[in-house]
Amino acid sequence: MNFKKVLLLCLLAFSFSFNLFAQVFDPVKWETKVEKVSDTEYDLISTATIDSGWHLYSQVVPEGGPIATGFSYTTNADFELIGKTSEEEGHVVDDPVFEMKIKFFEKKAEFRQRIKVLNKELSIVEGEVEFMVCDDEKCLPPTYVDLKFNLKPSKVIEADSEDKAVSFSNTDSKIFEPVKWNTSVEKISDSEYVLVSKASIDEGWKLYSQKVPEGGPIPTGFEYTVEDGVELVGETTEEKGKEVMDKVFEMKIKFFKNTAEFRQKVKVLDKSTTSVSSEVSFMACDDERCLAPTYVDLEYDLTKSVSASKDTYSYSEPKEEKNEGLWTIFILGLGAGFIALFTPCVFPLIPMTVSFFTKQSKTKSQGIKNALIYGLCIIVIYVILGTGVVAIFGASAINEFSTGVAFNLIFFVILVIFAVSFLGAFEIMLPNSWANKIDRKADKGGYTGIFFMALALAIVSFSCTGPFVGNIIVLSATTGGLAPMIGMLGFSLALALPFGLFAAFPGWLNSLPKSGGWLNTVKVVLGFLELAFAFKFLSQADLVLQLHFLEREVFIAIWIAIFGALSLYLLGKIQLPHDSPLKHISVGRLLLGLLSLSFTVYMIPGLWGAPLNLISAFPPPLDYSESPYGVGNAKTGGESTISLADLPEGAHLLAPHDILAFNDYDKGLAYAKDVGKPVMLDFTGWACVNCRKMEQNVWVEPNVLSKLKNDVVLISLYVDEKIDFPEGEAPDSKLRPGKKLRNKGQKWSEMQTIKYKTNTQPYYVLMDHNEENLIEPVGYTPDAENYSAWLEAGIGNFKN
């Protein structure tokens, strides 16, 4: 190696060590596979995935150039190399770093080495690759990566004494890293910047949005390290993405494919600040599996920012999706307004107000004009209310609140208060002084007087319209943005429409039904519905906190009680404070009562595990219940050898079949040694759908369940467990030197990654008391017969 090359490499190494404190680069990921050419010959294939902007050099480079890519294989008497490692065509260009023509690879590079196998029992070939990567500004020092090639990716095991072979899927253990991150900075002004985080996502994989439904995957989240002199402005925004029915989680979820970009605006008050750091947490899935939650450190270099206009720092919501959501809110607001018309506070005012305008106006056209202005004023008043909500809380704040526990608890209380008010316990009234002042203003006449008449209507009718307004605000939480304004526009339009129509056609007033007790019936029915919907918000809070106070059976029982009481009320068996004496039941009320009673009866089987598809969006999911498989479900697979009173420390019985299980590795291993049984490690996750499918469809089979209950000690390790370590007891991360583990889920995830060289769930390991594998671990195995055979083989190896 000549002096020029040595000097250049020293400078590169110095540059790397200087920049190491700011950012750790890992732009090349290696994967291996094997192709069988004949009975004795195989191709060992090493594939490099290269981050955008970086290039990997060829195995042959000119004198004085970078370190060439090189492969070395651990040879022995079991195989021999045939020829040299071949590579793809690549690109030959003038390299701006080394100032010479060099062959390199971008995005992907594949290298092949043919071997001849001399021992048929050979299953693993090991090797090492040495390489250097550069971008247009810098190079990283030489890197060494161990490679492993599996010549026998699948095996056959004996299923029973009849020598019947049963195969099971067993893909090569490997670490999946389908999402790569890079950062950039855009400068808006001398003190305002946009931190841009861009994810490159491998083909077939998905990265999820920052907002996902309950029971879905772990959302993407950013945690910024904000020092003095740096302020976050608003929330982190994201691209449009796609929202479709997710095959893994079986729900509509927004996700990103190929690429995703996230933006966070910051205000930098201290001019000496040169960088901002953050940590992104995310989960990636393909159509068959999900990875454990992943945490990546990001660094944003403010000194390398590029200019950007002020309106580019955030993404506007996709036009089509946003319009669709706003139209839904508008229609719901319109429907709520029409229902509010038939409440005791509003309906009697329609003929009175229209008569006032038609009689006080000199001409019919003037009466129509005044009534239309009156209706327009109603619209303006309620839209101003919606505008006020947006101005106070921000265009997207309500949407942010909707995923929080506090939001759901607050609206549970609000809806219960509204419901009790509608049922007649009390009336929600604005101060009488407000109405008196408005009445005096209305006496002035002219357009000002008409406006204050509309304002008086809003205040006087608040005891009936208030709950509708509150519900529209709640519904707006699922859309955010201008939804409160649009909802109020629909609601007020429905309220205002009758005044204009009846002023134009006063003869229609005669066709209006007379005010009476039926108005209070409408109000009471709405009260029952408000009470039922209130428990949806309480249920969501309970689900998030995993308190199990309001499980599925309890929720359904409450709804049965509410709609049962509504049925009795409509059929005249219950009377409430403001009801008029009921001499007979009208046909409409009878039909509505029968409909409510039928719905009540329909819900009763839900207490015994029926899915209740008509209301599936309201009660908690089937697995969030006292009896996930239904009340009275027979437990199969033999009796457990452990009773509830004899549970060892740290153990619990996994419902519904009482499988003895541990969530702590050390306690489970110690118990297995005491009882002389092998250990089954179950790397799982709360958000792992295929884990639940295995538990609900495979573990319940008698031949599998008997082994799980009696022949192994189950240790379930949840890689997405959010339980934090006690203060000062968080262990150091082995995968991210210098970092502490955040929670117990990370501990189990790192254990799986380091020890078993894989990071997908579910993943099952059968091991002995020395923590050695009894059989090759397996992942998702939906065939119960194969899974049982795998268990039987591992247990047999332990006994032998």
Side-chain angles (χ1 to χ4, degrees):
M1 186 180 292
N2 59 27
F3 176 75
K4 177 181 176 182
K5 187 172 181 179
V6 171
L7 179 61
L8 181 59
L9 291 176
C10 289
L11 290 173
L12 290 173
F14 174 78
S15 172
F16 173 76
S17 64
F18 180 81
N19 287 307
L20 186 61
F21 299 99
Q23 187 170 356
V24 177
F25 295 99
D26 186 21
V28 181
K29 311 296 181 299
W30 291 89
E31 292 183 359
T32 62
K33 64 179 180 179
V34 177
E35 286 184 2
K36 187 174 182 179
V37 180
S38 66
D39 289 340
T40 58
E41 292 186 351
Y42 296 81
D43 278 347
L44 311 181
I45 303 172
S46 306
T47 303
T49 302
I50 309 160
D51 287 354
S52 178
W54 292 84
H55 40 260
L56 173 71
Y57 292 99
S58 168
Q59 297 177 93
V60 180
V61 298
E63 180 76 14
I67 299 295
T69 299
F71 293 85
S72 60
Y73 302 90
T74 305
T75 56
N76 51 48
D78 294 332
F79 74 97
E80 61 183 26
L81 302 177
I82 301 177
K84 295 182 178 180
T85 303
S86 62
E87 62 185 32
E88 294 180 303
E89 184 176 349
H91 306 280
V92 179
V93 296
D94 286 320
D95 191 280
V97 176
F98 290 92
E99 298 179 350
M100 60 175 66
K101 283 194 173 183
I102 306 176
K103 177 181 176 181
F104 63 82
F105 306 96
E106 293 181 316
K107 296 183 178 178
K108 278 201 173 184
E110 188 178 277
F111 302 85
R112 289 174 174 256
Q113 174 64 58
R114 182 158 297 185
I115 65 169
K116 184 176 182 179
V117 176
L118 306 177
N119 179 2
K120 292 184 178 181
E121 298 301 316
L122 178 67
S123 59
I124 298 294
V125 176
E126 296 181 344
E128 182 184 75
V129 57
E130 175 191 15
F131 62 95
M132 172 183 276
V133 287
C134 302
D135 62 10
D136 290 340
E137 298 178 351
K138 56 185 173 296
C139 290
L140 303 186
T143 303
Y144 302 85
V145 173
D146 293 327
L147 303 175
K148 184 177 288 188
F149 305 88
N150 192 344
L151 305 185
K152 297 180 179 180
S154 62
K155 295 186 178 181
V156 174
I157 62 176
E158 296 300 317
D160 49 40
S161 58
E162 297 177 359
D163 295 329
K164 177 183 176 183
V166 180
S167 64
F168 59 90
S169 173
N170 176 31
T171 56
D172 291 348
S173 293
K174 55 184 174 181
I175 307 300
F176 290 95
E177 193 178 2
V179 181
K180 320 292 187 306
W181 292 88
N182 59 68
T183 63
S184 61
V185 180
E186 295 180 2
K187 187 174 183 179
I188 298 176
S189 66
D190 289 340
S191 61
E192 292 181 314
Y193 297 83
V194 177
L195 312 180
V196 183
S197 309
K198 189 168 185 179
S200 299
I201 308 163
D202 288 354
E203 186 70 27
W205 289 83
K206 295 172 287 193
L207 174 70
Y208 292 98
S209 167
Q210 297 176 93
K211 301 180 188 67
V212 299
E214 291 294 336
I218 303 298
T220 300
F222 292 85
E223 186 174 316
Y224 298 89
T225 304
V226 180
E227 301 175 353
D228 292 339
V230 178
E231 295 179 359
L232 299 179
V233 180
E235 303 291 334
T236 302
T237 58
E238 61 187 33
E239 291 182 296
K240 174 181 177 180
K242 297 181 179 179
E243 187 172 1
V244 297
M245 183 62 69
D246 191 275
K247 293 180 181 178
V248 175
F249 290 93
E250 298 177 352
M251 60 175 67
K252 276 195 171 183
I253 307 178
K254 179 181 175 183
F255 62 85
F256 307 97
K257 301 186 78 171
N258 301 324
T259 62
E261 195 168 272
F262 302 84
R263 292 171 171 259
Q264 174 64 57
K265 186 178 180 182
V266 296
K267 190 171 184 179
V268 180
L269 305 177
D270 185 354
K271 292 185 178 180
S272 64
T273 303
T274 59
S275 67
V276 177
S277 59
S278 76
E279 181 184 70
V280 58
S281 58
F282 61 95
M283 172 183 275
C285 299
D286 62 10
D287 287 341
E288 297 179 352
R289 58 190 177 272
C290 290
L291 305 185
T294 305
Y295 303 85
V296 174
D297 294 321
L298 302 177
E299 191 82 15
Y300 309 87
D301 191 342
L302 302 182
T303 64
K304 295 183 179 180
S305 61
V306 296
S307 298
S309 60
K310 288 189 177 183
D311 58 352
T312 62
Y313 78 89
S314 63
Y315 295 106
S316 59
E317 286 294 317
K319 211 165 190 179
E320 291 180 6
E321 291 183 8
K322 184 175 181 180
N323 286 344
E324 182 180 348
L326 293 180
W327 270 113
T328 302
I329 292 295
F330 175 78
I331 293 171
L332 289 173
L334 194 69
F338 282 127
I339 295 173
L341 285 173
F342 296 98
T343 58
C345 313
V346 179
F347 187 81
L349 298 179
I350 297 174
M352 293 170 54
T353 307
V354 172
S355 297
F356 172 81
F357 284 124
T358 54
K359 291 178 180 178
Q360 296 297 320
S361 303
K362 295 180 179 179
T363 62
K364 180 180 178 181
S365 60
Q366 187 179 4
I368 296 173
K369 178 182 176 182
N370 289 340
L372 291 175
I373 293 173
Y374 178 75
L376 182 62
C377 290
I378 293 174
I379 294 173
V380 170
I381 289 167
Y382 281 100
V383 171
I384 289 175
L385 176 62
T387 306
V389 172
V390 175
I392 294 171
F393 295 104
S396 62
I398 299 177
N399 192 21
E400 300 293 333
F401 296 157
S402 66
T403 59
V405 173
F407 172 94
N408 287 285
L409 291 177
I410 289 170
F411 275 99
F412 165 72
V413 173
I414 290 175
L415 291 181
V416 168
I417 293 172
F418 285 158
V420 174
S421 172
F422 268 178
L423 292 174
F426 54 83
E427 286 195 359
I428 303 173
M429 300 285 292
L430 293 178
N432 288 329
S433 59
W434 292 16
N436 295 333
K437 290 179 181 178
I438 298 303
D439 281 339
R440 289 195 292 271
K441 295 281 187 181
D443 291 338
K444 291 184 176 181
Y447 294 150
T448 303
I450 293 175
F451 175 81
F452 281 104
M453 284 182 65
L455 187 56
L457 170 70
I459 292 174
V460 170
S461 65
F462 183 78
S463 61
C464 291
T465 60
F468 290 101
V469 172
N471 285 333
I472 292 170
I473 298 298
V474 173
L475 289 171
S476 302
T478 61
T479 304
L482 301 177
M485 297 168 57
I486 300 300
M488 288 296 99
L489 175 62
F491 179 75
S492 58
L493 181 61
L495 285 184
L497 199 58
F499 297 98
L501 289 176
F502 286 115
F505 306 99
W508 289 3
L509 287 173
N510 297 326
S511 63
L512 282 178
K514 302 297 181 182
S515 299
W518 67 272
L519 289 174
N520 189 67
T521 300
V522 172
K523 191 176 177 182
V524 169
V525 170
L526 293 173
F528 278 110
L529 295 177
E530 290 264 355
L531 189 60
F533 289 134
F535 282 93
K536 172 61 178 172
F537 291 96
L538 183 61
S539 170
Q540 289 179 173
D542 183 65
L543 275 168
V544 172
L545 295 175
Q546 289 288 300
L547 297 177
H548 290 268
F549 288 155
L550 196 61
E551 292 180 320
R552 183 179 178 87
E553 293 91 342
V554 178
F555 183 96
I556 293 173
I558 291 172
W559 267 39
I560 289 172
I562 292 173
F563 284 95
L566 173 59
S567 303
L568 294 175
Y569 173 79
L570 291 171
L571 296 175
K573 302 301 181 182
I574 296 176
Q575 279 200 321
L576 292 174
H578 299 298
D579 286 331
S580 303
L582 188 63
K583 296 179 181 180
H584 66 275
I585 298 175
S586 66
V587 174
R589 181 166 177 162
L590 175 62
L591 293 175
L592 188 59
L594 292 175
L595 178 64
S596 177
L597 182 60
S598 300
F599 180 63
T600 304
V601 174
Y602 166 79
M603 289 190 291
I604 293 175
L607 297 173
W608 284 269
L612 302 182
N613 292 330
L614 287 179
I615 58 169
S616 58
F618 291 96
L622 283 164
D623 57 355
Y624 192 76
S625 62
E626 296 177 9
S627 304
Y629 294 93
V631 175
N633 181 68
K635 296 179 180 180
T636 57
E639 293 300 322
S640 174
T641 58
I642 297 293
S643 66
L644 196 60
D646 298 329
L647 279 179
E649 181 185 0
H652 64 278
L653 295 179
L654 188 66
H657 298 294
D658 291 349
I659 301 172
L660 181 72
F662 290 83
N663 293 135
D664 184 279
Y665 181 85
D666 295 326
K667 291 179 180 178
L669 180 59
Y671 177 76
K673 291 178 180 179
D674 288 342
V675 297
K677 294 181 181 180
V679 171
M680 189 179 99
L681 294 183
D682 166 30
F683 288 98
T684 183
W686 296 112
C688 172
V689 173
N690 280 341
C691 301
R692 302 294 87 76
K693 288 181 178 178
M694 287 292 294
E695 293 161 11
Q696 296 173 16
N697 301 327
V698 177
W699 285 16
V700 298
E701 290 296 318
N703 55 342
V704 174
L705 186 58
S706 178
K707 297 179 179 66
L708 294 178
K709 294 176 72 170
N710 302 308
D711 299 331
V712 301
V713 174
L714 175 65
I715 304 178
S716 295
L717 305 176
Y718 289 83
V719 299
D720 55 1
E721 181 67 75
K722 295 298 184 182
I723 298 176
D724 293 333
F725 293 102
E727 187 69 27
E729 296 183 19
D732 294 326
S733 171
K734 296 178 181 178
L735 294 178
R736 304 166 68 203
K739 294 280 186 179
K740 294 285 187 182
L741 295 180
R742 299 164 65 103
N743 48 54
K744 289 188 177 180
Q746 270 193 298
K747 177 182 178 180
W748 306 133
S749 178
E750 282 206 354
M751 174 186 174
Q752 182 190 7
T753 302
I754 294 169
K755 189 171 183 178
Y756 300 104
K757 304 297 187 294
T758 186
N759 57 348
T760 61
Q761 293 81 47
Y763 192 73
Y764 305 106
V765 179
L766 278 174
M767 68 180 194
D768 60 21
H769 299 157
N770 295 319
E771 303 177 62
E772 296 293 333
N773 290 355
L774 295 168
I775 190 173
E776 193 76 18
V778 296
Y780 179 56
T781 311
D783 188 304
E785 186 179 355
N786 278 0
Y787 191 75
S788 177
W790 173 79
L791 281 170
E792 186 173 343
I795 295 168
N797 290 339
F798 176 80
K799 292 177 179 178
N800 295 332

